[in-house]
Amino acid sequence: MMGFLQSGLDSLPGVAAMMQFKPPAASSIADSVDQLYLMLTGITIFFSVLIFSIIFYFMLKYRRKSPGESGTETHTPMMLELTWTIIPSLICVVLFVWSSSLYVRNGRPPNSSTEIFVIGKQWMWHLQHPEGPREINELHVPVGVPVKITMTSQDVIHDFYIPAFRVKKDVLPGRYSQIWFQPTETGTFHLFCAQYCGTNHSQMIGWVYVMSPTDYATWLAGGEKTESMAQQGERLFSQFGCGNCHSPEAAGHAPSLAGIYGKPEKTQNGETRVVDEDLIRQAILVPNSVHLPNYQPIMPTYQGQIDEEQMLQLIAYVKSLGSEERMNGK
Amino acid sequence: MSTAIAEAEIHETPAESGVNYLNVTYGIKSWLLTLDHKRIGLLYLGSITLMFFVGGMAAVLMRLHLVEPQGALFEPETYNKMFSTHGIIMVFFFLVPSIPATLGNFLIPLMIGARDVAFPKLNLMSWYLYITGAAFALYATLSGGVDTGWTFYPPYSSLYSHTHVVTVALGVFIAGFSSILTGLNFIVTIHKMRAPGMTWFRLPLFIWAMYATSLIFVLGTPVIAITLFLLGMERILHVGIFDPSVGGDPLLFQHLFWFYSHPAVYIMILPGMGVVSELITAFSRKKIFGYAFVAFSSLSIAIISFIVWGHHMFVTGQSIYAGLVFSVLSFLVAIPSAVKVFNWTATLYKGSISYEAPMLYALGFIGLFTIGGLTGLFLAALATDVHLNGTYFIVAHFHYVMVGGAVMAYMGGLHFWWPKITGRLYPDLWARIAAAIIFIGFNLTFFPQFVLGYLGMPRRYAIYPSEFQVLNVMSSAGASILGIGYIIPLIYFIWSMRYGPPAGPNPWGAKGLEWTTQSPPLTENFETIPIVTEDAYNYPSEGAHV
Amino acid sequence: MSDLATHGAHPQGFAHQFEDIEQQRDAGRLGMWVFLVTEILFFGGMFTSYTIYRALHLESFVQGSHQLIVKFGATNTAVLILSSLTMALAIRAAQTGKKKGQIIFWLILTMILGAAFIGIKLRFEWYRDYTEGLIPGVHWFYNGPHAPGVKMFMCFYFFMTGLHAIHMVVGLGLLTVLVIMTARNKFSAEYYSPLEISGLYWHFVDIVWIFLFPLLYLIGGRY
């Protein structure tokens, strides 16, 4: 407890600075979320004050004057009941439309986003930039550029949360979730895990460094030289012998992967699915569940042979195969 | 005024002179084997009070720990066990049974003019199930605890946690059957055991609320039971139901869990709303404003509550369309709650209002529930929920509803019916002081948490960044005030059982069949079953001095 | 029970908290219906999970279904339907005031059929599953195609049939009590509620099996 007192005293001068009521708003969507938040706060204050003052007024005006006194019977006017049913309904409709349109708009990343890959594991964030550099519990991004984050978990459910950007999404094992943001100011911001994930959940935190584009370029170039994620993925591609079948020369054993990402494909059980991160992952781990109808289900499973990081690199490679030429060119 | 009620009043006998349900038989056995709904209500009262203080102790320790950013008392592992214990005990072993199992058990037969519930043996069995479940939970807590949070999310709970998950889940599973059987008993009792003339629209609103609650007990609880069963099997046998690496889906657990646990929120608040309807009318001596609206809003809340569970999962990556549907439904459930608040407030209009302790709790309930309900809108709204989900905002919001709402109403109800239950009065001044302390302590504890949440502090953090310290210290200070506020009633209630002045059958001058019998009531409640000829809350209009 | 309650003469089995035997009968019946609603939700959680996983892993579940032997499932279905009939006949016998020997005969026949169901389940199905290593987490060495999915299917198979079997055992317990009560002349043409509401329960357990059988044994177009 002494420690508490001590730190309490130490922090006194800082109290004013620390008594902030608004988190930094540092992304393109933050202000729009704050406006809605402000509106909701206004509604909450309005109705709370309204109810509280009516109660206080009635309490004083109609207080019992003698012990035997009773209240006066009032009838229930239908109009009044309807009014206070309909007005809250209308407010709710407005709020729903407002918040949902924001949500839908904020949910879709712009096409030009740079993509960063995240793996959550007990109890750290592991991040990798497409250019290759890896980071632990730190994320460096340039200001003013939309960034898409593709995330998965190696163990339990985590949640990637950057309060200053007003973004948050659960990070689940066995599938990929995505968020995006566009930082609007440089600075250092909190990164939290917001889904309880075990003993050191509260230490699964980090910092997001938003840098000017030139600083970012310097930072990117400054680290130790690594291959890009797609190159790493390509190496894995040949290491696991994927190319033996999945290349144009392999004479129809398996579909060519060039340009397959983002295209709708019909699988053998008749459903049409867009080839996304989840589908690629499934195709590698449980190939028979999604093989294409024109091919024999002969691909072996790679369950247990590829870790989450390698999986992301393979996905980055497949995504980089924009066209047939690039594959042929190799 | 009905002749039957007048007659009953003539037959009143002072509690001291006559036989009543408390003194009709003596000995531990007469209590442990009792089939009297009132005694069973008291058995529950004792056991949930114990659980409340166990859960409360965990809360106090957590708040003490959080006065320092690095954590003042425990290792993170211990802190995690604290909040898990707090959540599990408070939700499953205090809030869910609180009003239904104590006040509901005690009052339903009295209020509808019946001798007992429909199935007294089943009622006793429900208590034993509850006790068994609670014993498992306490055993797990004492033998090392559980660290999954009360939500038991897999795969953490199924594959990674090294604590007593199965024991606790089993405890909750067993206690769930207690809820189911209590709900079943209440539904049948309310349908079949009403006194002659007690039509549905003459029922006190507390009964409507208990009926709606019972529906949720019966429809929701089996789902959580089966969910926890699957979780236990997964944990023991590693069969992979919630393990994505072999094709399981951890989100399925969340869907099933919230299918029960969101309605469970209304299991906690609906009975509170029922209690408040009774208190407001009794202390304004006036009919409730908009009886039918208040009654049907209970039912509509119960029904809508089953289709809003997805708002707990907005950030899990459910599809945008699912998000939109759950969002609009969640807004929808706000409306019947708003209707209730307006009707309670309007009931005060032209009332004859007195401010004994139960009324203070009732008014506190309306205010705090209003804030709790309105802050729910932030979480029904998709765009703000993304930011606030999983932060202290959530913690503040549901404590305003659960503690500011349900517990306030429970305390109010306990103070209101205490003279009926024990036949004795408690010191009203102390009760008012305690009510004020609880109100202040509560707000000081939980209001800063709204701000913390908006600032981005995630919940369930044993260690937190130092800029959140000031608000955390405020919250902890509030918690210690709140703790004192809860201890005072414990003391004067125990005192009043022995030394309190006799209450008489109707100390508040309230309406309702329970006030027409002696305090404490006879074993079978009424000497003759009353015949009801008037609406609920039929207070004489002004001028007619009693 | 209590000397306060002086309701005069009432038929056998009358509980003091009720006004009359009619109210008691209504309450008992409603209670059982509410209980069955709870039961539906209870099995419902399991059925929902099963349906979702079946949709996710259709081929594995078909493969899993092929591990079961339809003829035993079908036999058991017939046995259960027959037991529902004998149960109904027992109630009918009580209702029409037949001799207690006749009621007991139908009840015991129901019990025999119920026991036969469990016997077949244990001996020819679960025991065989055990010897063939088809019990996930306990005795599992299936390594045919779709192993993880088949494992999940077998999980649900055991959970669902196991839960159902527990309900059967409870039902047999109820029937035993009913036989004893009948033998002690507790029932008459006026009062036979315990028989009636136990009958409701028995039929419900039967209906659950009617759903389980096609869901577990017949999916995947084998028949």
Side-chain angles (χ1 to χ4, degrees), chain C residues 35-52:
Chain C
F35 180 72
L36 295 186
V37 169
T38 282
E39 288 278 38
I40 289 174
L41 267 298
F42 195 67
F43 279 99
M46 200 71 104
F47 276 76
T48 310
S49 313
Y50 173 86
T51 311
I52 289 170

Side-chain angles (χ1 to χ4, degrees), chain B residues 139-480:
Chain B
Y139 165 76
T141 305
L142 295 177
S143 64
V146 64
D147 74 339
T148 59
W150 76 281
T151 47
F152 300 111
Y153 277 7
Y156 182 68
S157 62
S158 56
L159 297 174
Y160 290 87
S161 173
H162 300 295
T163 54
H164 295 72
V165 180
V166 173
T167 318
V168 173
L170 185 63
V172 175
F173 182 84
I174 294 170
F177 285 94
S178 160
S179 300
I180 292 174
L181 296 179
T182 302
L184 184 154
N185 222 333
F186 286 177
I187 289 178
V188 176
T189 304
I190 295 169
H191 264 283
K192 299 293 177 191
M193 307 288 279
R194 283 169 286 131
M198 181 58 96
T199 59
W200 282 93
F201 287 97
R202 282 178 183 163
L203 286 174
L205 288 162
F206 180 73
I207 301 293
W208 276 95
M210 290 311 309
Y211 187 77
T213 307
S214 302
L215 284 181
I216 305 181
F217 273 146
V218 167
L219 295 177
T221 321
V223 178
I224 188 93
I226 209 72
T227 313
L228 291 175
F229 169 77
L230 290 176
L231 179 71
M233 285 295 130
E234 168 77 4
R235 193 171 161 87
I236 296 169
L237 302 175
H238 298 294
V239 285
I241 306 169
F242 301 122
D243 180 3
S245 67
V246 290
D249 185 357
L251 288 185
L252 178 67
F253 176 90
Q254 295 186 22
H255 280 291
L256 293 172
F257 180 84
W258 290 114
F259 180 81
Y260 164 77
S261 293
H262 194 79
V265 170
Y266 296 96
I267 288 179
M268 306 173 209
I269 196 67
L270 277 171
M273 293 167 158
V275 167
V276 166
S277 303
E278 299 297 315
L279 300 187
I280 296 283
T281 51
F283 290 95
S284 318
R285 292 211 177 136
K286 187 166 167 291
K287 252 188 194 158
I288 189 94
F289 200 86
Y291 176 95
F293 286 89
V294 180
F296 281 115
S297 61
S298 285
L299 284 186
S300 53
I301 287 174
I303 292 162
I304 301 173
S305 74
F306 277 103
I307 44 178
V308 298
W309 79 89
H311 69 224
H312 295 268
M313 299 171 65
F314 284 157
V315 298
T316 56
Q318 69 181 359
S319 80
I320 284 186
Y321 306 103
L324 293 178
V325 170
F326 283 122
S327 171
V328 75
L329 290 169
S330 305
F331 275 115
L332 193 63
V333 84
I335 292 159
S337 311
V339 167
K340 275 185 192 279
V341 168
F342 290 129
N343 276 300
W344 289 323
T345 311
T347 303
L348 298 173
Y349 174 66
K350 291 197 177 170
S352 166
I353 306 171
S354 69
Y355 306 110
E356 279 94 352
M359 185 60 162
L360 297 186
Y361 282 108
L363 296 173
F365 171 98
I366 298 180
L368 298 180
F369 175 73
T370 303
I371 298 176
L374 285 163
T375 48
L377 296 180
F378 290 70
L379 307 170
L382 285 158
T384 39
D385 180 77
V386 169
H387 177 56
L388 300 169
N389 199 310
T391 68
Y392 263 85
F393 193 94
I394 303 278
V395 179
H397 159 69
F398 70 69
H399 279 90
Y400 264 80
V401 178
M402 303 287 86
V403 183
V407 180
M408 280 292 204
Y410 173 67
M411 294 296 286
L414 211 52
H415 283 81
F416 184 54
W417 283 292
W418 187 260
K420 181 55 65 183
I421 295 171
T422 63
R424 292 180 187 270
L425 297 171
Y426 50 84
D428 190 59
L429 178 65
W430 277 106
R432 292 193 210 194
I433 292 172
I437 292 176
I438 290 174
F439 186 82
I440 294 167
F442 172 82
N443 281 297
L444 190 55
T445 310
F446 293 105
F447 196 82
Q449 297 187 2
F450 281 123
V451 184
L452 276 176
Y454 181 50
L455 290 176
M457 178 170 165
R459 59 194 286 209
R460 298 175 168 176
Y461 264 29
I463 294 171
Y464 59 87
S466 56
E467 71 246 42
F468 299 134
Q469 190 181 9
V470 176
L471 288 162
N472 268 296
V473 170
M474 281 168 70
S475 181
S476 297
S480 42

